[in-house]
Amino acid sequence: MIGLGREIYHVPLVEYGILGSAAVHVISGVSLNLARKYYRYLKYGKSNIKKRQSGDDKLIVPGKEEDIEVRDADKGLGGITSVLGAGSRVSFTSRYLGLSPLAFSGYFFLALLTGHVYYERVSPIVVDGDSSFVDLSYVAYSLQKTFLKTYFGLNTLVLVGSYHMLVGMNRILRRFTLKQRKMTYKAIFVLATLGAVSLWRISQIDVLPAMAAKFHSYVP
């Protein structure tokens, strides 16, 4: 399966397309975040910019708490407290970093993905000129060599990536109600759990000594 995937995304035009679309996404995200900050600065001034929010919780149908919409980007999914019925809260990242949870997860995901691409694509190219030896046994070798570091890093990549993509999709589709946010939390949990189990199973793959020697040059 990973070999089939490599045949698709390593085609030059496809790979450049992926890199190009990723660059456009990052640039547009950063630009929108800067524009949002500038708008708040013009509207509220420097002293109140961190105290103001871009929207309010909105109850669509009286008496139906699950229809409360959290539209404020600074609240993200509203926090665990909103799921427990204690109301939504402005996120830690918004209060102390000036970034919405979606923006922060995007920057964090970019950093994680950059490291992942380096080890999975760039490092093999530097050593061998291509990455044709990279398959699940390479991932297994990395897990076996530095289990805690690799396992934690890849699981964090899955978790942050899942959060960023699902929350971003919610905002695009305007899915703001408590019921929809609960579904998003469940989806993130399922994806993170599947990722953790899959990585554990991959770590049990036997790596041939010859391949281990090759992979050692990729991950010194």
Side-chain angles (χ1 to χ4, degrees):
M1 182 63 72
I2 195 170
L4 176 62
R6 183 168 56 234
E7 291 300 322
I8 296 174
Y9 69 76
H10 278 191
V11 174
L13 289 179
V14 175
E15 188 168 28
Y16 295 150
I18 293 173
L19 292 174
S21 61
V24 170
H25 179 78
V26 171
I27 293 172
S28 61
V30 172
S31 300
L32 286 172
N33 189 52
L34 292 175
R36 181 167 169 256
K37 287 180 178 294
Y38 183 65
Y39 169 77
R40 286 191 176 187
Y41 175 78
L42 292 178
K43 187 173 182 179
Y44 302 118
K46 185 176 181 180
S47 60
N48 293 324
I49 192 169
K50 291 186 178 181
K51 299 179 182 179
R52 302 290 182 172
Q53 306 304 324
S54 60
D56 298 317
D57 295 358
K58 185 177 181 181
L59 180 59
I60 304 301
V61 180
K64 293 187 176 181
E65 287 73 16
E66 290 209 345
D67 288 329
I68 295 177
E69 291 192 346
V70 177
R71 295 175 175 270
D72 192 345
D74 286 326
K75 294 182 179 179
L77 292 176
I80 299 297
T81 56
S82 68
V83 176
L84 299 176
S88 60
R89 298 287 186 273
V90 175
S91 68
F92 175 88
T93 61
S94 178
R95 287 200 304 268
Y96 297 102
L97 300 177
L99 295 171
S100 69
L102 182 60
F104 176 77
S105 65
Y107 293 134
F108 191 20
F109 182 62
L110 177 62
L112 293 170
L113 189 60
T114 299
H116 181 67
V117 170
Y118 173 78
Y119 283 112
E120 298 290 330
R121 182 70 168 140
V122 177
S123 183
I125 289 177
V126 171
V127 175
D128 289 330
D130 61 34
S131 54
S132 58
F133 286 106
V134 173
D135 57 12
L136 287 181
S137 62
Y138 176 48
V139 180
Y141 171 80
S142 299
L143 286 166
Q144 293 165 12
K145 183 178 180 181
T146 54
F147 180 79
L148 290 179
K149 174 186 173 182
T150 305
Y151 189 74
F152 177 78
L154 291 176
N155 275 301
T156 303
L157 178 69
V158 173
L159 178 62
V160 175
S162 299
Y163 178 91
H164 184 69
M165 287 182 279
L166 290 173
V167 173
M169 183 178 67
N170 278 359
R171 297 206 68 81
I172 292 174
L173 299 178
R174 306 188 68 78
R175 295 166 54 88
F176 300 122
T177 66
L178 176 59
K179 181 179 180 180
Q180 291 164 340
R181 285 181 281 122
K182 283 182 177 179
M183 292 175 61
T184 302
Y185 273 119
K186 291 177 182 178
I188 293 171
F189 175 77
V190 169
L191 291 173
T193 301
L194 290 175
V197 173
S198 298
L199 288 170
W200 174 259
R201 293 294 300 273
I202 291 172
S203 70
Q204 308 304 308
I205 295 176
D206 292 328
V207 181
L208 297 175
M211 295 308 299
K214 167 65 69 176
F215 296 150
H216 180 73
S217 62
Y218 297 165
V219 188

